[in-house]
Amino acid sequence: MDQEISNCDRLWTNARLVTLDPATGAGYAMLEHYALGVSDGLIAVIAPMEGLDLSGFDKEVTDCRGALITPGFIDCHTHLVYGGNRAGDFVKRLQGMSYEQISRTGGGIRSTMQATRASSEEELFLKARPRLLSLIAEGCTMVEIKSGYGLNVYDELKMLRVVQRLREEHPVRISATLLAAHAVPPEYLGKSDAYVDLICTELIPRVSIQKLADAVDVFCEKIAFTAMQAERLFLAARDYGLGLKIHAEQLSDTGAAALAAAYGAWSADHLEQLEEEGVRALQQAGTVATLLPGAYYFLKETRMPPVALFREYRVPMALSTDLNPGSSPFASIRLIMNLACLLWGLTPEEALAGVTRNAARALGWGDRLGTLTVGKEADFLVWDLEDPAQLPSEVGLSAPLQRVLKGVVTRA
Ligand code: DI6
Ligand code: FE
């Protein structure tokens, strides 16, 4: 038996590995008729079946019989903790009101804020749980979850504690993000700078000390916060060693992506209104462009993000649900891949890289997750599928045969 194999805790044999590892090849970077072994939660072996000596290996072996193995899906941008619902906004939009008009007239994020503030921690947890379970059932092994519907110190911390409890009680990695700068709360209308001060001087330090968040995000938009305010938040977040993310160029071009690049943010998200200069800035900084086709579809937007430019400049594109009640009420990463292909022309390979390799980078985990590579964390999915393009082309037709997290087969 080979040395590396004898050290493995478990083996998957006769698999078709969709590695997504650029060192292995372009596109899916497939390896046909391979074995994958894990040890101590990491991928320890990737080897061709041919010539593999398994004699004497007495630990568990899963014969995949040609099944596909992909990296676990990573949903790198969600707002899945919230109270209430926004069906009323949906009806108003069907009658012709825009998202911005609804937001300016007291609906939108502020109405979800009211419902979230009125909910107990337990209530928020119980509402969020099935949303998270839907993502897990589809194959997500990591989910990012933002605060942003509390909009004061007490309720933002409350939301982040719910995120922490979701992490403790589910077999999934969770990355938590402080998005207190999601909207200006009613108490600070006309005083948005004072609200930004509160976030910088009180929330960010407390969140950091209590280890309640991995990153800070800001909605940089005409109806929310300016690029200058976003910069102050970035400076404070950086002081506390938190990752940086930004909602950028969703409804208008405010220079937010360029700011994200200047500060080495993990990702700039949305980007429908981004111009070439912004694309160049992202490329130079290595910041990921996180695209959210669910919001584009649900808000009936017409301007696509500059996908051709992202390709030309080799800016990594991540894809995510943006799961939230107002602009993307969809708990399906498969649907998101499908929308990205059909609405924006992503290839199936790009869609899959968007929810694995590039999504990992968008959360600061690019060197540890997102591809099937020896030395990376062993988070992966086994699929009874013939063609990896079935992943973006079909929605709700298949669940993973196995979901492996940290080298262990898990069930939600
Ligand atoms: N952009 C979005 O698409 C979500 N947040 C944001 O900043 C929408 C959140 C909501 O409408 O509740
Ligand atoms: Fe969002």
Side-chain angles (χ1 to χ4, degrees), residues 16-22 24-32 68-71 337 341 347-353 356-357 371-372 387-393:
R16 295 157 66 212
L17 306 181
V18 186
T19 69
L20 276 309
D21 184 342
T24 300
Y28 298 124
M30 288 267 282
L31 296 171
E32 305 265 355
L68 293 175
I69 298 185
T70 68
M337 284 191 251
C341 294
T347 64
E349 293 93 333
E350 285 173 329
L352 197 53
T356 55
R357 183 178 73 224
T371 63
L372 301 180
D387 183 341
Q390 286 173 272
L391 293 168
S393 81

Side-chain angles (χ1 to χ4, degrees), residues 154-172:
Y154 178 84
D155 291 290
E156 285 292 305
L157 293 176
K158 177 176 84 179
M159 285 189 74
L160 289 174
R161 282 196 302 272
V162 173
V163 175
Q164 195 173 39
R165 184 169 164 207
L166 288 167
R167 177 192 285 140
E168 284 159 7
E169 298 191 21
H170 297 87
V172 63

Side-chain angles (χ1 to χ4, degrees), residues 9-13 54 57-64:
D9 307 323
R10 182 164 177 158
L11 278 179
W12 284 259
T13 57
L54 296 182
F57 184 76
D58 56 2
K59 282 166 262 173
E60 194 151 359
V61 178
T62 304
D63 184 349
C64 293

Side-chain angles (χ1 to χ4, degrees), residues 15 28 40 50 54 76 87 92 114 116 124 130 148 172 176 221 264 272 278 312 328 330 353 364 369 386 389:
Y28 298 124
D40 283 334
E50 205 179 335
L54 296 182
C76 64
K92 281 186 193 151
Q114 276 160 359
T116 304
L124 288 175
V172 63
E221 190 55 64
E272 283 86 342
E312 185 183 330
S328 191
F330 306 121
L369 278 177
E386 284 152 44

Side-chain angles (χ1 to χ4, degrees), residues 77 79 82 86 89 99 103 107-113 146 148-149 179 181-183 217-221 223-224 246-248 250-251 269-270 272 292 294-296 299 301 321-328:
H77 177 145
H79 312 245
Y82 59 83
R86 297 262 286 283
D89 289 8
Y99 181 78
S103 153
I109 293 172
R110 280 182 207 89
S111 70
T112 300
M113 174 208 77
K146 302 175 195 296
Y149 293 118
L179 176 61
H182 195 193
D217 192 349
V218 44
F219 189 19
C220 191
E221 190 55 64
I223 53 170
I246 195 162
H247 281 66
Q250 179 184 8
L251 310 170
D269 303 31
H270 281 290
E272 283 86 342
L292 308 166
Y296 170 92
L299 298 183
E301 286 176 38
T321 59
D322 194 14
L323 169 42
N324 76 74
S327 73
S328 191

Side-chain angles (χ1 to χ4, degrees), residues 8-12 36-44 60 141 173 369 376-380 402-410:
C8 285
D9 307 323
R10 182 164 177 158
L11 278 179
W12 284 259
L36 185 156
V38 304
S39 170
D40 283 334
L42 302 180
I43 298 175
E60 194 151 359
T141 50
R173 295 177 200 266
L369 278 177
K376 280 198 174 179
E377 300 278 331
D379 290 9
F380 56 85
Q402 278 185 349
R403 197 174 149 277
V404 179
L405 186 77
K406 303 178 187 178
V408 177
V409 178
T410 59

